[in-house]
Amino acid sequence: AQTVTQSQPEMSVQEAETVTLSCTYDTSENNYYLFWYKQPPSRQMILVIRQEAYKQQNATENRFSVNFQKAAKSFSLKISDSQLGDTAMYFCAYTGSARQLTFGSGTQLTVLP
Amino acid sequence: NAGVTQTPKFRVLKTGQSMTLLCAQDMNHEYMYWYRQDPGMGLRLIHYSVGEGTTAKGEVPDGYNVSRLKKQNFLLGLESAAPSQTSVYFCASSYQRGGYNEQFFGPGTRLTVL
């Protein structure tokens, strides 16, 4: 079974600074997808960014980018120019051949003014 | 286009009571899912459906039943609620599109079992 591990329960960053959230996963599959979801206090789950395992290029969405290390099974999220609205719980997630999402336990990010 | 909606948003039950959570999507998605979210944990899959009339067990199915009688609706039932089922429940839906499986989530239902 696949597992997703987020080892940082809480993190904080100053507004306008850069922060990196860590995620590791375990799988025996070669083709899969990885995601970062954001959950603000409203509880709504919002897809931030996705990465396809067969693509070597790291995904980027505006201020959000990932560092995907397939051999190390590592998938970190970098948030640049942090904004107060980035304060949220961030979940790393995996989906493979079973087409089911497996989530990590989350990292609570607080952006400080 | 409302996306994924869930009814109700909040509910308090006594131990042993039953209830049904309703999930509806208007995106014509084939796949639908029910998750629960507990403090300090990510979302865990309860049951899912790959099409109208079909359901399958996820990671934590015990104590729950589901039905998908219509493509746009996915119901989650608790026949005899227990305090361990106090949680936030999320519904999600997705297309069946190759290996890519972006799921769209509802706003969640907070359930408390006393």
Side-chain angles (χ1 to χ4, degrees), chain A residues 36-40 42-48 89-93 101 103-104, chain B residues 6 35 37 42-43 90-92 102-108:
Chain A
W36 279 97
Y37 280 88
K38 170 184 177 181
Q39 187 181 42
S42 66
R43 285 202 318 242
Q44 183 68 49
M45 294 290 287
I46 302 165
L47 179 64
V48 174
M89 181 73 84
Y90 287 82
F91 291 99
C92 179
L101 275 174
F103 286 86
Chain B
Q6 293 183 229
Y35 295 89
Q37 182 180 25
L43 279 66
F90 287 93
C91 177
E102 179 176 356
Q103 295 186 17
F104 296 83
F105 287 83

Side-chain angles (χ1 to χ4, degrees), chain A residues 33 35 37 39 42-47 50 52 89 91 95-96 98-106, chain B residues 9 31 33 35 37 40-43 45 48 88 90 96 98-103 105-108 110:
Chain A
Y33 296 80
F35 307 88
Y37 280 88
Q39 187 181 42
S42 66
R43 285 202 318 242
Q44 183 68 49
M45 294 290 287
I46 302 165
L47 179 64
R50 63 179 179 265
E52 298 159 45
M89 181 73 84
F91 291 99
T95 189
R99 299 186 183 178
Q100 298 175 23
L101 275 174
T102 300
F103 286 86
S105 56
Chain B
K9 289 185 169 52
Y31 286 27
Y33 311 81
Y35 295 89
Q37 182 180 25
M41 303 181 73
L43 279 66
L45 184 64
Y48 65 100
V88 180
F90 287 93
Q96 181 188 2
Y100 178 47
N101 189 27
E102 179 176 356
Q103 295 186 17
F105 287 83
R110 182 175 293 278

Side-chain angles (χ1 to χ4, degrees), chain B residues 34 36 44-48 56-66 76-78 85:
Chain B
W34 275 108
R36 61 177 288 171
R44 292 183 293 168
L45 184 64
I46 304 171
H47 287 279
Y48 65 100
K57 294 180 180 180
E59 180 186 355
V60 288
D62 293 343
Y64 304 95
N65 56 75
V66 288
L76 177 71
L78 287 72
Q85 294 177 306

